[in-house]
Amino acid sequence: MARRGETIELAVLGLLHEGPMHGYELRKRLNLMLGWGRVLSYGSLYPTLKKMLRAGLIEELAPSRTTVSRRPRITYQVTPAGNQEFHDLMMEVGPTAWEDDNFDIRFTFFSSTDMEIRLRVLEGRRTRLQERLERVQSQLSMTQKEVDSYAAELQRHGVESVEREVKWLSDLINAERAVPPSGTDPALGSTAPHDPPHVPQHDHQHDQQHVPPAASSEVPATTARQAGSPAGES
């Protein structure tokens, strides 16, 4: 499983690949990428930036001062070594690429990879979630009598969330296979990166949660309004 620090490094390299940014802007963009349930503090970001500076993946630009009263802001930019590291990380395909947090970041920068890599990551993520569903469903009959109606509704919500993400991934995979990459030369069979095809949107960050077993007991009518909370399972 990818460590959180490694995931943040990949995200920082991807953002700085777009252009220089100061720490405040990096943190704001990272929080948007990680989702509202996983807020990134300065205490997590700046040690990562210092580590990347020591490794030569990023560098500081001369501080800029916007007003007399404000402290100068340090702006960071990616180095050639950092660009190469970002490229290498985005080309990796394996279990870490489809874990909850790392998949979000990889998906954000999918335009930096070719179709074959995108498909392998999407298919790996779908397989991981299907395995998760199978484990949960195999336990349903064992736990039906062990939870009350509210817990049962939360469990059903979790199962339905994963099922929705599996369908979303299947739509993406089918769309990737149906649309040839832009700029493809039929004679060369090139698979250059292209903009993602149109597929039904899905907020997968809200559906990445620990999925407990579901039960089939009766549920009060008010339950559905109280039963959702996202969390990731590695």
Side-chain angles (χ1 to χ4, degrees), residues 5 8 13 28 34 40 50 52 64 75 105 110 117-119 134 142 146 156 183 189-190 195 199:
I8 295 173
L13 290 173
K28 181 173 66 175
L34 292 172
L40 180 70
K50 290 180 180 178
M52 297 175 71
S64 60
T75 301
I105 304 304
F110 255 14
I117 297 296
R118 290 194 295 270
L119 279 171
E134 289 174 2
M142 300 170 55
E146 299 177 6
R156 273 193 293 274
S190 170
D195 291 334
V199 295

Side-chain angles (χ1 to χ4, degrees), residues 74-95:
I74 298 175
T75 301
Y76 302 91
Q77 69 177 11
V78 68
T79 64
N83 277 326
Q84 184 61 49
E85 178 72 5
F86 175 69
H87 174 76
D88 292 344
L89 290 172
M90 291 297 294
M91 292 296 291
E92 289 183 359
V93 177

Side-chain angles (χ1 to χ4, degrees), residues 86-93 106-119 121 176 181 191-195:
F86 175 69
H87 174 76
D88 292 344
L89 290 172
M90 291 297 294
M91 292 296 291
E92 289 183 359
V93 177
R106 289 291 297 267
F107 189 83
T108 299
F109 300 116
F110 255 14
S111 60
S112 299
T113 60
D114 61 34
M115 183 176 65
E116 180 182 355
I117 297 296
R118 290 194 295 270
L119 279 171
V121 173
E176 287 281 352
T191 55
H194 68 291
D195 291 334

Side-chain angles (χ1 to χ4, degrees), residues 15 20-30 42 73:
L15 289 172
M21 297 184 190
H22 51 72
Y24 173 78
E25 186 176 5
L26 274 172
R27 179 174 177 264
K28 181 173 66 175
R29 293 283 300 276
L30 284 167
Y42 286 113
R73 286 181 172 176

Side-chain angles (χ1 to χ4, degrees), residues 7 11 34-35 45 51 53 61 68 78 83 86 90 98 107-108 116 120 146 153 170-171 202 214 223 226:
T7 300
L34 292 172
L45 174 61
K51 178 184 175 183
L53 284 167
L61 298 178
V68 176
V78 68
N83 277 326
F86 175 69
M90 291 297 294
W98 44 77
F107 189 83
T108 299
E116 180 182 355
R120 291 174 66 185
E146 299 177 6
E153 177 66 10
S170 295
D171 290 342
H202 174 85
T223 303
Q226 306 179 30

Side-chain angles (χ1 to χ4, degrees), residues 12-234:
V12 168
L13 290 173
L15 289 172
L16 293 182
H17 188 74
E18 302 172 0
M21 297 184 190
H22 51 72
Y24 173 78
E25 186 176 5
L26 274 172
R27 179 174 177 264
K28 181 173 66 175
R29 293 283 300 276
L30 284 167
N31 280 332
L32 288 174
M33 292 168 61
L34 292 172
W36 62 267
R38 291 167 283 179
V39 176
L40 180 70
S41 68
Y42 286 113
S44 298
L45 174 61
Y46 282 105
T48 300
L49 292 176
K50 290 180 180 178
K51 178 184 175 183
M52 297 175 71
L53 284 167
R54 291 194 299 269
L57 302 177
I58 61 175
E59 61 187 4
E60 295 179 352
L61 298 178
S64 60
R65 187 187 298 274
T66 56
T67 66
V68 176
S69 60
R70 294 181 62 179
R71 294 187 302 173
R73 286 181 172 176
I74 298 175
T75 301
Y76 302 91
Q77 69 177 11
V78 68
T79 64
N83 277 326
Q84 184 61 49
E85 178 72 5
F86 175 69
H87 174 76
D88 292 344
L89 290 172
M90 291 297 294
M91 292 296 291
E92 289 183 359
V93 177
T96 59
W98 44 77
E99 296 294 345
D100 291 345
D101 287 353
N102 208 27
F103 174 78
D104 291 352
I105 304 304
R106 289 291 297 267
F107 189 83
T108 299
F109 300 116
F110 255 14
S111 60
S112 299
T113 60
D114 61 34
M115 183 176 65
E116 180 182 355
I117 297 296
R118 290 194 295 270
L119 279 171
R120 291 174 66 185
V121 173
L122 290 170
E123 289 170 346
R125 174 67 176 173
R126 182 175 65 178
T127 298
R128 173 59 53 86
L129 292 179
Q130 287 171 333
E131 292 171 349
R132 188 180 299 177
L133 276 175
E134 289 174 2
R135 290 198 308 270
V136 170
Q137 291 167 349
S138 68
Q139 300 170 0
L140 294 181
S141 60
M142 300 170 55
T143 60
Q144 286 178 350
K145 298 180 180 179
E146 299 177 6
V147 296
D148 63 24
S149 58
Y150 288 94
E153 177 66 10
L154 181 60
Q155 291 163 357
R156 273 193 293 274
H157 171 74
V159 171
E160 291 168 0
S161 295
V162 178
E163 289 174 339
R164 285 195 300 271
E165 185 172 351
V166 168
K167 181 182 183 303
W168 173 73
L169 290 166
S170 295
D171 290 342
L172 282 170
I173 291 167
N174 292 335
E176 287 281 352
R177 288 174 174 162
V179 180
S182 61
T184 296
D185 186 335
L188 299 177
S190 170
T191 55
H194 68 291
D195 291 334
H198 174 74
V199 295
Q201 294 185 353
H202 174 85
D203 190 354
H204 60 282
Q205 289 179 343
H206 289 272
D207 286 346
Q208 290 173 355
Q209 62 176 330
H210 175 74
V211 183
S216 60
S217 57
E218 292 296 324
V219 181
T222 58
T223 303
R225 297 193 296 271
Q226 306 179 30
S229 65
E233 175 179 335
S234 299

